[in-house]
Amino acid sequence: MAQKAYILRMYPGGVDRLNDALEENQLMLGWSKAAGLIDQSLEWTEFREIVRRIYDPDAQNMRWAGNAAGHLWRFIREMGEGDLVVVPYGSEFYVAKVTGDAEHRKDKVEEDMAFRRPVEWLNDKKPIPRKHAKAALLSRMKAQGSCTGATDLVEQVEECLRIAKEGGKPSFEEDLRKKLTEKTLEEMRTGRMEDYGFERLVANVLRTSGASQPAIVSRSNDEGVDIYATFLVAGVFQQVVGVQVKHYKPDPPIGGKVVQQLINGIESGQEPVTLGMVITSGTFDDEAEEEAEKYRINNGIPIELVDGELLAKLIVENGLENLNLDTFHADL
């Protein structure tokens, strides 16, 4: 069976449990009162219903329960022995290899640390700087939710482990990419680029990332979405992305107000948006992440937050020669 990979945010009960996890060679997840989930005979609907009954009994729909159950299902059912798990931690991340089945520890229910998986922590239990990750892996580590699939990024995780094993010394190509990324970020923040130019840059980055005909919204029609872009998923399904663009410096960071502006644009109904993005040359604070997470849970539409560092990585990795800043103009 092919090796899989996952991103795990390990804050069961809202508490940082990383030191416990490293010491005990375990991965941990919350929702500990739902002990019945460990039953391998449960079908998805039964699994989800346990989560709803225990944690969201008065809900008018299954959206929250389905979202929570999805993270638990990946942790309990999908992970397998030999799979890689990336655990983000501030500006670094840890990598573990799963060594056994999921279990539920009754003695850890009160601490909300009951769901466990035994692992071998790789890289001698030492963290890896996020700067070694390519754009796709860095973006996935920013994904909202507790447990996210990342099987398509196994090679990128292994590359980070290799760099760490070699003492953090990247290859010539990787070192060059890092320097180009730093210079690109600097130019976006301090170079000769005004707001309209930054919008065109973002539209081009979306195009080189696979979007068909990204369209910049004219300022007169801007209700919170600056760019609409369509991606074809699996060659069949269309995903309409609504993007809010902010040409900011890193300080002060973007807060929840900007995320709410995007939400207003999504809910205006101008386009059938299935994914929201806030893309900036600056940074985000915790409030922005909380606002995005709340909207995803309550409305089922994820909002990705792309900061300047990630945007610069995307530009460099997609190829500067593929960008044409004069191609896109206001056309809506």
Side-chain angles (χ1 to χ4, degrees), residues 7 86 93 133-141 153 156-157 160:
I7 310 295
V86 174
F93 63 96
K134 288 186 176 179
L137 179 56
L138 186 62
S139 176
R140 200 69 57 85
M141 283 193 280
L153 303 177
Q156 292 192 23
V157 177
C160 290

Side-chain angles (χ1 to χ4, degrees), residues 209-226:
S209 298
S212 60
Q213 299 179 335
I216 299 175
V217 179
S218 65
R219 295 299 168 97
S220 60
N221 292 329
D222 182 355
E223 297 183 16
V225 175
D226 297 318

Side-chain angles (χ1 to χ4, degrees), residues 266-301:
I266 292 172
E267 295 183 345
S268 71
Q270 191 170 350
E271 294 284 345
V273 173
T274 54
L275 171 67
M277 299 180 77
V278 180
I279 300 181
T280 180
S281 52
T283 59
F284 296 96
D285 65 12
D286 292 342
E287 183 186 16
E289 295 182 0
E290 291 167 3
E291 196 73 23
E293 172 73 353
K294 182 171 65 175
Y295 189 73
R296 179 182 66 85
I297 292 173
N298 293 336
N299 298 277
I301 298 178

Side-chain angles (χ1 to χ4, degrees), residues 198-217 225-232 239-245 275-280 304 306 310-311 314-315 318-319 322-325 328:
F198 187 66
E199 285 187 352
R200 292 196 297 273
L201 173 65
V202 170
N204 274 270
V205 172
L206 292 169
R207 176 180 59 81
T208 61
S209 298
S212 60
Q213 299 179 335
I216 299 175
V217 179
V225 175
D226 297 318
I227 300 172
Y228 286 103
T230 301
F231 288 83
L232 197 61
Q239 177 155 274
V240 179
V241 181
V243 185
Q244 170 77 220
V245 179
L275 171 67
M277 299 180 77
V278 180
I279 300 181
T280 180
E304 294 190 6
V306 179
L310 177 53
L311 178 59
L314 286 168
I315 292 170
N318 287 342
N322 293 322
L323 297 178
N324 179 0
L325 301 186
F328 295 92

